[in-house]
Amino acid sequence: MDEDTQETRLFAAFERHDEFVAAQNTLLAVDLFAEPTREEEDAENECNRKLMMIFGEYQEQSYLLDPYLESLVFPVAGCLRKYAMTCVSTPGAQSSHSRVGRLADLLHNYIKFRGYKTITRFFPHEVADLSIALDFIRLPSGPVKELSQWGLRYAVLLWLSLICRIPFDLQKFDDATRSGETADAIEVVGKDRLNMAGLEREGAATLLSRFYARKDTRQRFTSFVEWSITVFRSSEILLSIGVLQVLCELVKSGSSEQLQAFTQQFLEITDTLEQSATLASNTLVRKYRTKLLSRVALRLMPPKVSRSKLTFRSLDGDISNETVEGNIDEDADVPEEIDTILESLFKSLQDKDTVVRWTAAKGIARLSERLPSDFSSQVLETILGLFSIHSVAGASVYDTPAIAEATWHGASLASAEMARRGLVEPAALPSLLGWLSKALYFDIRKGAHSIGSNVRDAAAYVIWALARAQDPKSFSPHARELAQWLVSVALFDREIHIRRAASAAFQEHVGRMALFPHGIDVLRKTDFYAVSVRRNAFTVAAPQVAEHLEYRSYLIDHIISITLRHWDVTMRELGAQALRRICELDLKTLGLECASKMAGFLQSVDVADVHGALAALVGISEAYRTQKSEENASNRRKIFAFIAIVPQDVVLAPRNGLVLAAACDLIASSLTLQEVELQEKSSVPHWRRIVDQGLRYRSSSVQQAAAAAMATTSSLIDCSPDVHRLIKDFRHGSQSQQQSLCYTLGVLDYNAHSHGFSEVFKCLLDSVNPNSSARMSSIEARRNCFQTLPKIIANVLPRLTEYLTAGSMCGAFDALDSGLDDYTMDERGDVGSWVRMACIQGLASIFEDLFRVSASIPEFASYLPAERYHSIVARLLRQGVERLDNVRQITGHCLLRLLRSPLPSVPHQEQWRIKGSELMMELFLNDATDAMTSWSVGEWLFPKVVELLRVQEYRQPLLTGLIHSVGARTGSTHRPASSSLVSFAQGLPLSPDDSGYSLLELCDDLIESVQDRTTSNAVMVPVLQTFNMFLEADVLSDLSSSDNGPSKLEKLLNIATRNVLRLKNVQRIQESMKIAVNLLSISSVSTSSSERIIDFLSHPYPKVVFLHHLRCY
């Protein structure tokens, strides 16, 4: 099953129950006291792996296993009990560590899957089990003492904690002479494991909390509290955390009579923790201290029925409230300790760690439920007051200091917890919503990132909670405003989880209150999936929501005031796209209105504001440009004039590339013929200087923006003088200027004006000609040149014969063909592949263009000679089988395009049909799966492509590419290429016959490919590797029986071992050595091979001699 499908699949039942039970029974059937064999170990590990996989598959829907839990867990727990009983009765018995570990691992996964409270219910819990579990965990040399068996210790501790809940007297297990022995043993077992990190500490804490809650051991709790105070004063972090866990569990589940006597000791403990710098610096200590305080406070207040309200809609659309209220005594006295505890909890709300803040928020809300209404209202006021601690009157949320993040987050979480429980009165709603309107946009830049996403998430949580417990009447005055807030956050927040949270809050209000305008329709456009992809939320969902007038103006204001001023460049660019699409809904009204607002930011001291404003103006101008009319042309001129507002020193500053690129884009989209003709009297007289600065800028994105501005200019006037100047200035300039020149020459509109086309074409050919002094040294510049050639040919295609002669076109083919041999290497790797990919795409594009207009080219055969076409296709095939996946992928795509292209509409059109096209169609386009499979997948490609060696015209280039893939270091290329070539060779006849290719011819072609290039290791090593593969697969064993076979093998041996003592490349020497050794098995050349072996034994490199000895052995 596909991995993505499996991940998103929802189950209706535990479908893999039988498979799970079978695997579990296999594990439980083994003998835990016998060591498994290797085969048994592998089989048991496979069963364990299968169980873990099924656990993971159902982790998100763990409740589906509930009907089966008893039948699943009981046998596992019973197996543990049986094992423990045997260990206790036979102390010296040796058990299998791996099998016991798998049993414990299975129990631990059940607990992790469904929680220890659920799973421990199915553990054995008879009175007799106490001695078994206790004696087992106390065995001096038992399996629980091994460090690796932490899962076993955790399971036994939970088992003991369950047994401790049985109401029997522990003294029944004591010896008559040693009263309290069993209780002492349990207490020691728990205390000894409180200072361990991990699950053992949690198991020990659970055990001790249930132990001290027993009636017959409560008196021991006094000494435990005294001991815990001693522990806290010693500042032992791990032990302190364990003790705090015990106290928190006991205060939660113990009896009120037992705990109220220790209230002062608990408060003393919390003070001790706060005063210890070591303990106070630990997050878990602060979390459990906060939890302890809140639970102590709950014990001080009498329990009351919740006052929470649940708002819901019935199927007939009516809104109803379900309110549950208890008999609340509003005049009841509140203990003095509550004030102190609340003060501490409010302080924890501002803690630096989220877990502490959330614990405090839940504690405050739970306590407020038990307080009188006036008191709980004061608590809410105090929470709202936290928002104002770091706020300045009249300042926006963006002026808030970074330190306010924790405070705002804590206050938001506390507000949400209060709202969930129906503790927000209608009178407090306006104040709360006022702060939430700021919290939803809490985003403060801090260095290279921003903080505040947790505040925004918590604010959405508050609004979601309010929908579940508030009266629709009290919400009605705020509904429209709240809907606008939520929609803007759901669409335009930077973080995916915030957008989803706001969408969920919007959905909750639509479902429960039905107050939001067009709620169902807007919810459909901003659902969980629609807002999950940021680009979709900005460019698709936002314009759809803006169709509703109630939201349009607010969304536009949000984009202008927040998104286009965001610190993240991507956000500003997406915001500009979103603004354009919203404006296109009513461009006549919104276009200039939004543009005028954006013009106000062009003089800002913040470069982000300037860039965002320019990007927005580009979008609006592009919208006007798309909807052509005289009025829109006038509006474009108005937008063009806004460029003059931006100070020149800002646009032309060396480090303001984003602003410069946006300014060039704005020129490209808004420049008109009138502005060009006005020259220095233009509304932006320095626009040419901006474009020129962009062309000279070092960043490619800025260069492309400036080139786009030049393209717009070239469509309006003849730019021949500018082109001549650029070629003269940039051709021999810096590398970035060379790249810029190539970008620019490729985008000019040569159909509108010539722009010195002949000079441009000659410049491009000279820039990539290896024999020219004007050749560009930069690999990026050469790549850009090769990308430009097909662009300008496509540009002049309607008037091709006017611009290009047949000789010029052939010169372009020669240049692109020579680029296929660019294997430039630097510290970045094979950068020549950039050029090769550009040439592959360029050649395919030119061929398609020429075929399409072939009827209008009088002498088509001179522009694209058939022989030249087939030779280039052969070289493209070579690139399609070489070692780089991305090069193969692009080549395959281009070749398949050529296969599908119709032949030129000229006489004798069959001359341009690709040789072996029927075979190619059968191999690569046989079905839909082939068409969709990528040529980068070597396992799919190489078994098919080797069959093309039967096509004589493409044989030599194709074989060269295959040999390079055989020598690749990447296994995903080397293995399929090698196996495919060997399989193909094994299927060839020994001598030539009607099939068209033979093994002798294959050997001839391989030897011929290296005969004149024996000094090149890059060529020799892959060929020698190929022959070694053939020899090791016995492909060449029959050559000695043919007439010319022995001579071929002798020639191979001579080439491989020639001047071997002078060779310095160890890999080549090793491959040559393998050739000599492998040929020993062939009788016709065995004598010659044995004579050549002496050269390797006397080689000056010791490594070669050693490897040769190993090979011969």
Side-chain angles (χ1 to χ4, degrees):
M1 182 176 291
D2 184 79
E3 198 170 303
D4 293 336
T5 306
Q6 182 67 46
E7 185 178 343
T8 57
R9 182 182 174 189
L10 294 177
F11 299 97
F14 186 22
E15 300 170 2
R16 304 184 68 178
H17 172 266
D18 295 339
E19 183 182 356
F20 187 92
V21 170
Q24 177 172 289
N25 290 340
T26 302
L27 286 184
L28 297 182
V30 300
D31 184 1
L32 298 178
F33 294 93
E35 288 293 338
T37 64
R38 184 170 182 176
E39 292 75 14
E40 290 173 339
E41 183 79 14
D42 292 341
E44 291 169 22
N45 282 330
E46 177 61 24
C47 288
N48 193 51
R49 186 197 64 79
K50 184 183 292 185
L51 291 172
M52 299 310 108
M53 184 182 68
I54 296 175
F55 273 129
E57 192 174 324
Y58 286 87
Q59 182 69 63
E60 297 298 324
Q61 294 177 272
S62 58
Y63 54 85
L64 293 177
L65 269 69
D66 285 354
Y68 311 96
L69 277 181
E70 183 174 3
S71 61
L72 291 175
V73 178
F74 191 77
V76 184
C79 186
L80 174 63
R81 180 183 185 278
K82 182 180 177 182
Y83 172 68
M85 189 183 303
T86 306
C87 288
V88 171
S89 60
T90 314
Q94 295 295 319
S95 56
S96 171
H97 301 320
S98 60
R99 285 179 167 175
V100 173
R102 281 189 286 271
L103 176 65
D105 193 33
L106 181 57
L107 267 176
H108 168 248
N109 276 279
Y110 271 119
I111 295 168
K112 182 178 72 171
F113 182 77
R114 208 66 186 98
Y116 81 90
K117 293 180 182 177
T118 301
I119 298 302
T120 52
R121 290 189 291 113
F122 306 112
F123 279 23
H125 49 272
E126 297 178 2
V127 176
D129 292 329
L130 175 62
S131 59
I132 298 173
L134 187 58
D135 291 343
F136 177 64
I137 202 170
R138 295 169 62 201
L139 284 175
S141 57
V144 292
K145 298 298 181 183
E146 297 175 17
L147 291 176
S148 61
Q149 297 288 5
W150 56 268
L152 182 61
R153 290 191 290 275
Y154 177 54
V156 176
L157 286 169
L158 290 179
W159 185 17
L160 270 174
S161 71
L162 176 67
I163 298 171
C164 281
R165 299 183 68 181
I166 303 175
F168 62 91
D169 192 355
L170 290 177
Q171 291 184 356
K172 292 181 179 179
F173 291 87
D174 297 338
D175 290 341
T177 57
R178 289 179 289 182
S179 178
E181 176 188 17
T182 304
D184 290 340
I186 296 175
E187 189 172 28
V188 169
V189 166
K191 284 186 175 180
D192 286 348
R193 286 161 178 79
L194 282 180
N195 62 346
M196 292 184 176
L199 291 176
E200 296 170 69
R201 182 181 63 219
E202 296 184 13
T206 304
L207 170 61
L208 288 175
S209 64
R210 292 178 176 176
F211 174 74
Y212 291 125
R214 293 175 57 89
K215 290 184 178 181
D216 56 348
T217 55
R218 286 181 183 177
Q219 68 277 7
R220 293 174 176 266
F221 184 61
T222 304
S223 60
F224 178 80
V225 171
E226 294 173 355
W227 174 74
S228 64
I229 294 174
T230 307
V231 170
F232 296 139
R233 287 173 179 168
S234 65
S235 299
E236 294 181 40
I237 291 181
L238 287 179
L239 186 56
S240 298
I241 293 172
V243 173
L244 278 173
Q245 285 181 291
V246 176
L247 295 176
C248 289
E249 284 294 323
L250 188 60
V251 174
K252 177 183 178 182
S253 57
S255 64
S256 299
E257 299 80 8
Q258 177 188 8
L259 297 174
Q260 285 185 356
F262 295 95
T263 301
Q264 291 305 319
Q265 286 94 323
F266 291 151
L267 295 178
E268 180 185 348
I269 286 173
T270 58
D271 291 340
T272 303
L273 294 173
E274 188 177 22
Q275 292 167 7
S276 172
T278 304
L279 295 177
S281 63
N282 185 273
T283 302
L284 284 178
V285 171
R286 297 198 307 278
K287 171 190 170 182
Y288 286 120
R289 174 185 176 274
T290 305
K291 191 184 293 285
L292 179 62
L293 275 172
S294 61
R295 289 181 176 177
V296 167
L298 288 174
R299 287 295 190 176
L300 291 174
M301 295 297 299
K304 295 177 182 178
V305 180
S306 172
R307 293 177 303 200
S308 62
K309 297 176 290 184
L310 182 62
T311 304
F312 63 92
R313 292 175 69 186
S314 59
L315 291 177
D316 60 5
D318 292 337
I319 309 295
S320 303
N321 283 335
E322 183 181 288
T323 306
V324 181
E325 295 194 8
N327 298 321
I328 301 173
D329 184 4
E330 298 292 343
D331 298 326
D333 292 333
V334 177
E336 295 180 359
E337 293 87 351
I338 296 296
D339 285 333
T340 306
I341 292 174
L342 278 173
E343 184 179 352
S344 183
L345 292 177
F346 287 133
K347 186 177 178 182
S348 296
L349 272 184
Q350 306 172 60
D351 194 272
K352 63 179 181 178
D353 289 306
T354 302
V355 291
V356 181
R357 297 195 292 268
W358 202 346
T359 301
K362 290 186 288 187
I364 290 172
R366 288 168 180 160
L367 180 57
S368 298
E369 277 189 300
R370 301 191 178 188
L371 294 173
S373 299
D374 291 343
F375 207 134
S376 63
S377 299
Q378 294 175 30
V379 171
L380 181 61
E381 289 177 12
T382 307
I383 293 172
L384 297 181
L386 295 176
F387 286 110
S388 61
I389 291 178
H390 301 288
S391 302
V392 180
S396 70
V397 69
Y398 300 102
D399 300 317
T400 307
I403 195 175
E405 179 197 21
T407 305
W408 279 61
H409 184 235
S412 298
L413 287 176
S415 301
E417 295 296 331
M418 296 284 284
R420 279 186 61 204
R421 293 164 172 81
L423 300 175
V424 177
E425 297 297 330
L429 202 56
S431 176
L432 175 59
L433 291 177
W435 287 113
L436 292 179
S437 67
K438 298 180 179 180
L440 280 171
Y441 305 114
F442 192 97
D443 190 6
I444 300 174
R445 185 166 186 180
K446 189 175 182 181
H449 66 287
S450 70
I451 60 173
S453 63
N454 55 352
V455 176
R456 304 197 300 276
D457 188 44
Y461 175 35
V462 180
I463 297 174
W464 175 89
L466 287 170
R468 299 174 66 85
Q470 283 297 317
D471 185 0
K473 292 181 181 179
S474 61
F475 243 105
S476 182
H478 315 285
R480 184 188 181 104
E481 197 174 29
L482 185 60
Q484 293 171 342
W485 298 343
L486 289 175
V487 164
S488 63
V489 174
L491 292 173
F492 299 130
D493 198 276
R494 182 175 183 267
E495 310 299 335
I496 179 174
H497 62 283
I498 310 298
R499 297 196 299 274
R500 286 174 171 175
S503 174
F506 189 93
Q507 177 181 346
E508 198 71 18
H509 276 271
V510 170
R512 293 186 182 275
M513 295 196 174
L515 295 174
F516 288 175
H518 309 285
I520 297 295
D521 192 32
V522 173
L523 178 60
R524 178 181 58 82
K525 298 169 181 177
T526 60
D527 64 13
F528 180 88
Y529 298 102
V531 301
S532 293
V533 179
R534 189 194 297 170
R535 179 172 294 276
N536 185 77
F538 274 75
T539 60
V540 178
Q544 291 176 348
V545 174
E547 293 173 359
H548 305 290
L549 296 177
E550 293 87 347
Y551 298 97
R552 183 181 297 173
S553 60
Y554 191 86
L555 293 179
I556 291 174
D557 291 341
H558 183 279
I559 293 174
I560 292 174
S561 60
I562 295 177
T563 309
L564 290 173
R565 304 179 66 189
H566 200 274
W567 60 271
D568 188 349
V569 178
T570 307
M571 288 288 291
R572 299 199 294 270
E573 292 173 347
L574 284 174
Q577 295 177 34
L579 183 62
R580 171 189 172 175
R581 301 203 178 191
I582 293 175
C583 288
E584 284 175 341
L585 297 173
D586 187 7
L587 189 60
K588 184 176 181 180
T589 304
L590 299 174
L592 281 182
E593 178 185 341
C594 293
S596 301
K597 291 180 180 179
M598 297 316 306
F601 295 106
L602 293 177
Q603 287 184 309
S604 172
V605 295
D606 189 347
V607 175
D609 290 355
V610 179
H611 172 253
L614 287 172
L617 292 174
V618 170
I620 297 171
S621 178
E622 285 287 355
Y624 280 128
R625 191 179 185 182
T626 304
Q627 302 178 12
K628 296 180 180 179
S629 69
E630 290 186 7
E631 182 182 358
N632 287 348
S634 174
N635 291 335
R636 283 171 56 205
R637 287 193 66 187
K638 294 176 182 177
I639 293 176
F640 178 79
F642 288 145
I643 301 175
I645 299 176
V646 186
Q648 289 191 43
D649 57 341
V650 174
V651 180
L652 304 177
R655 294 183 178 275
N656 284 354
L658 288 172
V659 174
L660 181 57
C664 290
D665 283 331
L666 185 53
I667 293 171
S669 62
S670 61
L671 185 64
T672 58
L673 181 60
Q674 295 91 330
E675 292 291 343
V676 176
E677 292 174 342
L678 287 173
Q679 296 183 357
E680 295 301 323
K681 295 182 180 179
S682 167
S683 57
V684 188
H686 58 283
W687 69 268
R688 287 183 180 272
R689 186 181 172 194
I690 293 175
V691 175
D692 189 63
Q693 179 73 6
L695 293 173
R696 296 174 184 274
Y697 203 81
R698 61 187 178 274
S699 171
S700 61
S701 60
V702 180
Q703 293 170 4
Q704 291 174 7
M710 283 295 297
T712 301
T713 308
S714 70
S715 65
L716 301 174
I717 61 172
D718 187 0
C719 296
S720 297
D722 294 320
V723 171
H724 177 74
R725 177 179 59 83
L726 286 174
I727 292 176
K728 181 180 177 182
D729 294 347
F730 285 19
R731 190 173 188 175
H732 301 288
S734 64
Q735 291 187 1
S736 62
Q737 289 179 346
Q738 292 177 358
Q739 296 173 42
S740 178
L741 174 63
C742 301
Y743 278 133
T744 307
L745 298 181
V747 299
L748 299 180
D749 189 352
Y750 297 101
N751 254 333
H753 304 279
S754 64
H755 306 304
F757 182 85
S758 58
E759 183 182 5
V760 169
F761 201 77
K762 184 177 183 303
C763 170
L764 291 172
L765 294 182
D766 289 343
S767 299
V768 297
N769 187 352
N771 302 318
S772 172
S773 59
R775 182 177 187 260
M776 293 181 176
S777 59
S778 167
I779 188 71
E780 291 89 349
R782 296 203 303 275
R783 175 201 60 196
N784 294 348
C785 283
F786 284 120
Q787 290 173 339
T788 297
L789 278 170
K791 287 181 183 178
I792 63 174
I793 291 174
N795 198 314
V796 301
L797 203 61
R799 301 159 60 190
L800 182 66
T801 54
E802 297 179 27
Y803 280 91
L804 287 171
T805 63
S808 299
M809 180 61 73
C810 290
F813 287 138
D814 291 339
L816 290 165
D817 190 17
S818 67
L820 296 177
D821 293 322
D822 194 324
Y823 287 87
T824 305
M825 302 286 292
D826 65 9
E827 66 276 2
R828 295 170 290 183
D830 184 4
V831 292
S833 63
W834 303 343
V835 168
R836 300 200 301 277
M837 288 188 288
C839 293
I840 293 165
Q841 293 171 313
L843 286 166
S845 176
I846 293 174
F847 290 155
E848 287 180 314
D849 290 340
L850 289 179
F851 285 175
R852 190 169 60 253
V853 299
S854 56
S856 62
I857 302 176
E859 299 178 359
F860 180 79
S862 61
Y863 275 85
L864 179 56
E867 299 80 8
R868 194 79 182 91
Y869 174 66
H870 291 303
S871 68
I872 291 175
V873 170
R875 286 170 57 76
L876 291 180
L877 272 172
R878 171 186 167 177
Q879 296 296 324
V881 296
E882 285 206 349
R883 63 183 183 275
L884 292 184
D885 294 350
N886 54 347
V887 177
R888 293 203 308 271
Q889 166 62 20
I890 288 175
T891 306
H893 178 68
C894 293
L895 284 171
L896 294 182
R897 278 167 45 198
L898 292 178
L899 274 175
R900 296 189 184 100
S901 295
L903 295 176
S905 304
V906 296
H908 311 292
Q909 60 179 205
E910 289 295 325
Q911 295 180 12
W912 285 272
R913 185 180 296 278
I914 293 177
K915 303 295 182 183
S917 57
E918 296 82 2
L919 178 59
M920 289 189 186
M921 296 286 283
E922 181 183 346
L923 290 171
F924 303 114
L925 294 174
N926 191 32
D927 55 37
T929 306
D930 286 341
M932 294 172 61
T933 306
S934 168
W935 277 46
S936 61
V937 181
E939 291 80 2
W940 174 87
L941 172 67
F942 289 110
K944 295 174 177 288
V945 83
V946 291
E947 295 297 328
L948 294 179
L949 289 172
R950 303 184 189 278
V951 183
Q952 185 175 358
E953 290 81 359
Y954 303 148
R955 185 174 297 160
Q956 195 58 48
L958 192 60
L959 192 57
T960 303
L962 284 169
I963 291 169
H964 282 154
S965 292
V966 168
R969 296 181 179 180
T970 308
S972 60
T973 301
H974 164 75
R975 285 191 296 270
S978 304
S979 59
S980 300
L981 197 54
V982 168
S983 299
F984 176 76
Q986 287 173 333
L988 290 176
L990 187 59
S991 302
D993 59 8
D994 295 339
S995 65
Y997 204 31
S998 67
L999 187 58
L1000 281 173
E1001 290 175 317
L1002 175 60
C1003 292
D1004 269 338
D1005 291 337
L1006 287 172
I1007 292 173
E1008 185 181 345
S1009 66
V1010 296
Q1011 200 152 16
D1012 299 327
R1013 305 178 67 184
T1014 55
T1015 57
S1016 173
N1017 292 325
V1019 176
M1020 281 293 298
V1021 171
V1023 173
L1024 293 176
Q1025 287 177 328
T1026 305
F1027 272 115
N1028 275 314
M1029 287 190 320
F1030 288 167
L1031 289 167
E1032 290 168 1
D1034 288 334
V1035 175
L1036 306 181
S1037 58
D1038 294 334
L1039 281 183
S1040 59
S1041 61
S1042 66
D1043 295 337
N1044 298 324
S1047 62
K1048 306 294 183 190
L1049 296 175
E1050 284 286 351
K1051 188 180 292 186
L1052 169 62
L1053 182 62
N1054 290 334
I1055 291 174
T1057 59
R1058 184 183 303 163
N1059 298 324
V1060 69
L1061 294 175
R1062 296 167 57 184
L1063 296 178
K1064 297 182 179 179
N1065 185 287
V1066 175
Q1067 187 182 11
R1068 177 173 173 180
I1069 298 169
Q1070 187 176 358
E1071 295 301 327
S1072 300
M1073 177 184 66
K1074 289 180 182 179
I1075 293 285
V1077 174
N1078 288 328
L1079 287 175
L1080 283 172
S1081 60
I1082 301 178
S1083 58
S1084 60
V1085 289
S1086 59
T1087 305
S1088 303
S1089 299
S1090 59
E1091 293 172 357
R1092 304 298 174 87
I1093 286 176
I1094 299 173
D1095 293 338
F1096 295 101
L1097 292 173
S1098 59
H1099 199 279
Y1101 285 6
K1103 181 177 181 180
V1104 173
V1105 178
F1106 174 71
L1107 290 173
H1108 187 63
H1109 277 293
L1110 289 178
R1111 186 74 185 176
C1112 292
Y1113 178 76

